Amino acid sequence: MAAEVDVQSITTPVTILYCDACGMPPEYCEYGPDFETHCLPWLKKAHPHLLARLHGGRSSNNDDDDNNDDGNNAGPTAPWTTKERLIAFYTKYQPDKLDGIDGILEKYSGKEDKLFTALVKKYGPEPEDPFYLGSDSDDDDSDDGGVNEQLEGMDLGGNKKKRRGAAAKKVNKVDTRVIVQKILRNRKKAVTHVVGLDTAPGIKLKEASKAFSKRFAGSSSVKDKEIIIQGDHLEEVAEMIVTKFGV
């Protein structure tokens, strides 16, 4: 006799949970690029039991790291979302348009990069994300050491004796060496560092920083004669230094 089939179990609809951050089922979140920064915080907050079942001790390890931090210096655990970036932008430049944020996001869905590029050209540099500011302050001491070692011993032409007569009219050549490197911040998104651009004649770091900010539609800042650009733009920055600044 054929085995009886449970018809009700076959015809009963199954409810599938989707991640609010990436739109995929939680079982597949870890294969996406935003798992650590967006999906994992959402799972910890909305479905902690599902997180424990899917990823075991990952949540507890992150919690231990958070508990080891000084509570007074605790910063944001994830970068701004597209909506938060837009809110920060309009809060700084056009607060009266904050009510239309949702409509703007819907209009430019899939074209967010072009939107922010146009906003930067119209209003000015994008507000800096506190998530990246906190990462910079934590790691600058360790990063600067390696870069400064590369610059040690370089003759930048600052100790030459003054000349008189015909020799004084000769143009002194200055050795210029610019280092561009990508740095990962604690498994988070990358930032691009530019060191040595101040050794190039006629270049002001603040003006160069503004040019990078407009070019990549993101935050760019100057710290200790070093330009820090949000995002991984290693090749684009190197090309821009050659073509735009003539280094």
Side-chain angles (χ1 to χ4, degrees):
M1 179 181 295
E4 295 183 0
V5 178
D6 187 354
V7 178
Q8 184 177 1
S9 64
I10 298 177
T11 59
T12 302
V14 178
T15 301
I16 300 178
L17 175 67
Y18 292 96
C19 174
D20 282 354
C22 69
M24 297 289 291
E27 294 85 349
Y28 300 97
C29 285
E30 63 180 319
Y31 301 108
D34 299 324
F35 174 69
E36 294 284 349
T37 57
H38 292 78
C39 303
L40 188 59
W42 173 77
L43 277 172
K44 289 173 61 178
K45 181 178 179 181
H47 302 281
H49 298 293
L50 179 60
L51 175 64
R53 180 170 65 85
L54 293 176
H55 303 289
R58 185 190 294 265
S59 176
S60 60
N61 292 337
N62 290 341
D63 291 340
D64 293 340
D65 294 340
D66 294 339
N67 293 333
N68 291 333
D69 293 337
D70 186 356
N72 296 328
N73 297 327
T77 58
W80 282 341
T81 62
T82 301
K83 184 174 182 178
E84 290 172 337
R85 288 176 62 192
L86 200 58
I87 290 175
F89 208 108
Y90 278 108
T91 299
K92 180 177 180 180
Y93 295 107
Q94 290 287 339
D96 55 316
K97 294 186 178 180
L98 286 172
D99 294 337
I101 293 293
D102 292 333
I104 295 175
L105 287 173
E106 182 177 357
K107 180 179 179 181
Y108 288 93
S109 177
K111 298 181 289 186
E112 289 84 357
D113 289 342
K114 293 183 178 180
L115 170 62
F116 282 99
T117 300
L119 290 174
V120 168
K121 290 181 179 179
K122 183 175 181 180
Y123 296 111
E126 181 181 350
E128 294 187 358
D129 189 337
F131 175 78
Y132 295 105
L133 292 178
S135 299
D136 292 341
S137 61
D138 292 340
D139 299 336
D140 276 341
D141 293 339
S142 60
D143 294 337
D144 290 345
V147 175
N148 290 334
E149 288 179 1
Q150 299 180 46
L151 295 177
E152 286 183 0
M154 290 175 53
D155 182 10
L156 303 181
N159 297 324
K160 294 184 178 180
K161 297 181 179 180
K162 295 183 179 180
R163 298 179 179 180
R164 297 181 180 180
K169 297 181 181 181
K170 295 182 179 179
V171 177
N172 293 329
K173 294 183 178 180
V174 179
D175 292 333
T176 300
R177 183 181 180 186
V178 180
I179 299 174
V180 183
Q181 59 181 166
K182 177 185 72 175
I183 297 178
L184 295 175
R185 300 297 190 184
N186 298 328
R187 297 177 298 172
K188 302 171 185 175
K189 291 188 177 181
V191 291
T192 304
H193 285 226
V194 181
V195 182
L197 195 58
D198 56 306
T199 63
I203 296 180
K204 296 182 179 179
L205 294 184
K206 289 186 177 181
E207 294 180 357
S209 177
K210 289 181 179 179
F212 289 131
S213 179
K214 290 183 179 180
R215 169 64 176 80
F216 302 113
S219 63
S220 176
S221 59
V222 178
K223 184 175 182 180
D224 298 331
K225 296 184 179 181
E226 179 178 352
I227 299 178
I228 303 173
I229 307 165
Q230 175 181 327
D232 178 8
H233 306 293
L234 186 65
E235 295 182 0
E236 295 89 342
V237 168
E239 181 180 357
M240 187 174 175
I241 290 175
V242 175
T243 57
K244 183 176 180 64
F245 301 110
V247 177

